[in-house]
Amino acid sequence: MLTLVYFFFQEPLLSLFGGQVNAQTFAYAKAYFTWISAGLFFYMFGQAMNPIIRSDGSPKFAMAATLAGALMNLVLDPLFIFSFHRGMEGAAAATVIGQLVTAGISAAYLFRMKAIRLDHSSFRWDGSLIGQFLSLGICSFLSQISLVAAMAAINNGIQR
């Protein structure tokens, strides 16, 4: 759903975060934002799985999954930008592929978890758990959203 919001409100969001400095900057920001929006699910899944993997007793695996995605991005960035002449789109595509790698490795971990065994009932909707989920995630959400708000304010201040 967030990906759809990003696609439908792309220009207002880019403006909010200072992407309207000039036409060229806006074009770069829009190209990058489009790719990042398309890969948002993989980013969110990989980031959500990291603390789960760590809390399951495998912090090295969690770090390896994150590093694998980062290294993939590091290798693909110059290849896509310079060799394939894709510029900003190439940088964004490399980032999304890196996030896909992290998400894929993290998803594979689901089948070898130590503390929890997943079965069909693990994927059923249980409304009674929503409050517990919210209490676990609200601090992290507030921390991240405050950073986003600060970044938007700084970018818009610099633009003015």
Side-chain angles (χ1 to χ4, degrees):
M1 290 176 62
L2 191 55
T3 298
L4 291 175
V5 169
Y6 280 15
F7 278 127
F8 285 120
F9 297 103
Q10 187 176 45
E11 292 192 16
L13 285 169
L14 287 171
S15 295
L16 177 68
F17 288 100
Q20 294 269 6
V21 174
N22 58 45
Q24 187 176 14
T25 301
F26 185 74
Y28 288 146
K30 191 171 183 178
Y32 195 85
F33 190 80
T34 299
W35 276 91
I36 295 301
S37 297
L40 188 59
F41 170 78
F42 303 111
Y43 169 74
M44 291 175 66
F45 182 80
Q47 293 300 306
M49 282 299 299
N50 195 277
I52 292 169
I53 294 169
R54 281 183 294 154
S55 67
D56 191 50
S58 299
K60 289 181 182 175
F61 190 95
M63 181 181 66
T66 302
L67 275 175
L71 290 173
M72 180 64 72
N73 187 7
L74 192 65
V75 168
L76 292 179
D77 261 337
L79 188 66
F80 285 6
I81 294 169
F82 302 114
S83 298
F84 298 150
H85 306 288
R86 299 303 305 159
M88 191 61 73
E89 287 180 2
T95 300
V96 171
I97 292 169
Q99 293 167 346
L100 183 90
V101 167
T102 296
I105 292 170
S106 298
Y109 186 84
L110 287 172
F111 299 103
R112 59 178 283 222
M113 290 182 72
K114 299 172 190 170
I116 299 171
R117 294 288 170 224
L118 298 177
D119 58 18
H120 292 306
S121 66
S122 302
F123 297 95
R124 287 195 195 115
W125 180 261
D126 185 354
S128 66
L129 296 176
I130 297 292
Q132 293 175 20
F133 291 154
L134 287 175
S135 69
L136 289 172
I138 197 74
C139 288
S140 179
F141 170 76
L142 291 173
S143 173
Q144 291 295 318
I145 203 71
S146 65
L147 289 172
V148 168
M151 188 183 329
I154 290 167
N155 285 343
N156 282 302
I158 290 170
Q159 181 181 358
R160 287 191 181 97

